[in-house]
Amino acid sequence: MENLNSESDNILKEFYVPTYILVPDSQAERSPDIPSCPVLVFINSKSGGQLGGNLLVTYRSLLNKQQVFDLGEEAPDSVLRRLFLNLEKLKLSGDEFANKIEEKLRIIVAGGDGTAGWLLGVVSDLKLSRPPPIATVPLGTGNNLPFAFGWGKKNPGTDRQSVISFLEQVRKAKEMLIDSWHILMRMRIPSSGSCDPIAPLELPHSLHAFHRVSATDELNVEGCQTFRGGFWNYFSMGMDAQVSYAFHSERKLHPEKFNNQLVNQSTYAKIGCSQGWFCASLFHPSSRNIAQLAKVKVMKRHGEWKELQIHHSIRSIICLNLPSFSGGLNPWGTPSTTKRRDRDLTPPYVDDGLIEVVGFRDAWHGLVLLAPNGHGTRLAQAHRVRFEFHKGAADHTFMRIDGEPWKQPLPVDDDTVVVEISHLRQVKMLATSDCRSKSFRDPSSNHYNDEHDDGDSDDDESTGEEFRKFGAAATFKIPDEMKEKDGSSRRRSGLKGFLRFLPFQKRNA
């Protein structure tokens, strides 16, 4: 513990993970004290201008360098595979310290919403028997995920004291389950050209997970292209995603102009103006308005699809899981008692298996969110949402998952293009005591019910294994020689079922 040599040693020891836990076959440190909050820290060094790199240096100076990972150098799936295999090996050898580390382990991820979603997807697909809860450090432009769970939306300090203060918050944080959502897009193979998603110059994290399924995937349909993936915060389609696509493209071309959060947000507003988001009725083709582009259907009760009546002026539609969008705004708001009764609406709980569907006409409509009790056009709450695109309505549209946009080509001669969103499973987040996200299971909630089924589709044996994956990881299995002959490994295993890891080993925010 050569790094722990200051007056803060006693605090930092509570977060320290010994090298022998992190590096297989390394020598065990003598009589290590069991930390109350061991952490793994994943940092996107390219996020937040220079902040990501500075934060990496500070964390490595305070903790074991081996427990702090640069996502530009190693993907989280390979890190977690190595770690949990080593923990399994140590536990099977009778190492009680390793068992306690696994029991108390927490993850910190520093980056934008896309980076945080990447970690969430990997941990979700691992299906660990003790999945570590995740805290998010806001290093992006929107920072909706950190803001929704009380970690703020401003880039944090990177100095020693700021990092120690954040670690203390992580130790005191509460665990909260949140829903995850599967997204599937299917269309006929076009007679010419490609319908692969077009990223802004390079593939963002979201599109690493949102990829074309293989011929052996049970979701594959002969003669069709099928894409699949998942998200945690939101899926949006329309003009808001178009503005985001323009912003990301500009940032990739001129990264030197985007090294400050305030500048980034100002530039985003300027691009919104240049794209016509504030004068959408003049600059946005009506053929790309949601009603002209696709039918929107929702399923609130099993097996009952209902078509939504979308006003012809709606140019952007958002399927929202968390009460934070566009830098912390809440498009759903809190429906009044009358709306709850007459339209069967509820507040936006993050673990109720429902996703909120909201529409916007233009940027001016979005500004109502700044007013007290302001909200977008509430369209529905549902367990499933389905977009059926009209044949020949447009040759492309823009889509966005958790802040990361892409341009989606559409075959004009295909009347079967479908995007469907459905509940997948849940994962543990870390939240501060004053976070804005609300749980269905909170006893103070009016909708709390001890008998409520968590709706985790992972337990639905009628749903295929491939469909139940988030899409952030491919397959890995514990070697048989690591399992105990008496069968107790089933109880003691740190891995439940299969680990899945994507073939994409490195990603950039």
Side-chain angles (χ1 to χ4, degrees), residues 80 108 120 235 323 414 467:
L80 294 174
I108 296 172
L120 286 165
F235 165 84
D414 186 2
F467 187 83

Side-chain angles (χ1 to χ4, degrees), residues 336-351:
S336 65
T337 303
T338 302
K339 293 284 180 64
R340 296 187 203 184
R341 182 185 66 243
D342 295 346
R343 295 187 57 193
D344 191 23
L345 302 179
T346 72
Y349 299 114
V350 299
D351 57 353

Side-chain angles (χ1 to χ4, degrees), residues 165-180:
S165 176
F166 188 87
L167 286 169
E168 281 289 275
Q169 282 187 284
V170 170
R171 180 163 61 168
K172 297 173 183 176
K174 62 182 179 181
E175 294 185 12
M176 179 180 287
L177 286 172
I178 67 167
D179 297 320
S180 67

Side-chain angles (χ1 to χ4, degrees), residues 403-430:
E404 297 190 320
W406 73 94
K407 181 179 179 179
Q408 181 57 54
L410 299 170
V412 295
D413 58 349
D414 186 2
D415 59 358
T416 64
V417 180
V418 169
V419 172
E420 187 169 318
I421 295 167
S422 57
H423 186 257
L424 181 58
R425 63 170 72 94
Q426 295 180 324
V427 73
K428 293 179 182 178
M429 291 290 292
L430 287 172

Side-chain angles (χ1 to χ4, degrees), residues 42 50 108 119 124 161 189 251 294 320 346 353 356 414 464 475:
F42 294 91
Q50 298 298 317
I108 296 172
L119 260 294
S124 177
Q161 193 53 49
I189 298 174
R251 184 166 64 173
L320 187 69
T346 72
E356 285 70 43
D414 186 2
T475 301

Side-chain angles (χ1 to χ4, degrees), residues 213-231:
V213 302
S214 66
T216 58
D217 192 316
E218 64 184 61
L219 293 177
N220 182 63
V221 175
E222 188 175 353
C224 292
Q225 289 182 343
T226 302
F227 300 84
R228 62 178 305 280
F231 64 94

